[in-house]
Each structure stands twice: as C-alpha cells, then as structure tokens.
Amino acid sequence: MIDNYRHWHEKLPFALLGYRTTVRTSTGATPYLLVYGTEAVLPAEVEIPSLRVIQEAKLSNTGWVKNRYEQLMLIDEKRMNVIFKIEEAKESITNINIKSLRQVV
C-alpha cells in the first residue's frame, strides 16, 4: 500500500478501521460492536447510502432515541453471547490439549 516505509503512518487509520470492523472468529463479533453496541457505518455506506443509513436518516428524533435505547439494551445480550463463545473456545482448546497429552503418553 505504500512505496516508502516512512509513510506507513498515513495508512494506519485505514488499517485500524479494517481491524475494528472485522468479525473475530473467537467472539463472533467485531471489536467495534462490542465497544459501541452497533456496527460501524463504513465510509462507503455514507457515499453510497445503504438501507441502514437511509432508515436511520428518516427517523424522527423520538424514533431515533427509541431506536438507540433499544440498541443499548441489546448490548448486554450481545456481550453475553460473546462471553459464551469465548468459554466454548476455551473448553474446546482444553479438550484438544487433553487429547494430545493422552496420545503422547
């Protein structure tokens, strides 16, 4: 992406956006979703409006507040789902390690 290593800092915001908006296998969610409780609106969605952006833009102030409140209430549920997935992954890794040890012995 860059021709000269001295200009890496110019591409850092793009790399961070990619990292924050990519779904992690271990959690099944993006870091952005876990922090803010909603998926990020990507720059392409602003230039070429997606259905989500169009729907949010046409909400009244009361409707927007209600929608945002409902999203905030779902954050805990989303986080609990992620915690459950992490625990499943840990258990799976533990089982794999135990099987490996048995094969060695």
Side-chain angles (χ1 to χ4, degrees):
M1 290 184 65
I2 57 173
D3 294 329
N4 187 339
Y5 68 90
R6 294 182 188 185
H7 299 288
W8 67 268
H9 64 281
E10 295 172 0
K11 301 296 181 183
L12 185 59
F14 302 110
L16 289 174
L17 177 67
Y19 178 82
R20 293 173 183 152
T21 58
T22 302
V23 175
R24 301 283 163 248
T25 304
S26 60
T27 61
T30 64
Y32 191 95
L33 173 71
L34 296 176
V35 172
Y36 298 107
T38 185
E39 288 295 342
V41 176
L42 302 176
E45 289 181 301
V46 175
E47 287 295 319
I48 306 168
S50 67
L51 179 60
R52 177 173 57 145
V53 172
I54 292 169
Q55 287 175 338
E56 288 179 6
K58 292 186 178 183
L59 290 174
S60 67
N61 285 340
T62 306
W64 182 85
V65 170
K66 182 180 177 186
N67 186 19
R68 186 65 182 147
Y69 178 76
E70 290 171 358
Q71 287 177 347
L72 290 172
M73 299 314 310
L74 291 174
I75 289 175
D76 289 333
E77 182 180 343
K78 291 175 184 177
R79 288 181 180 156
M80 290 302 294
N81 288 338
V82 168
I83 290 171
F84 181 72
K85 282 188 166 213
I86 290 171
E87 291 301 319
E88 283 181 338
K90 285 180 183 178
E91 186 174 317
S92 174
I93 290 170
T94 302
N95 290 338
I96 289 171
N97 288 339
I98 289 172
K99 288 178 184 177
S100 298
L101 288 174
R102 288 181 183 164
Q103 290 176 355
V104 171
V105 176

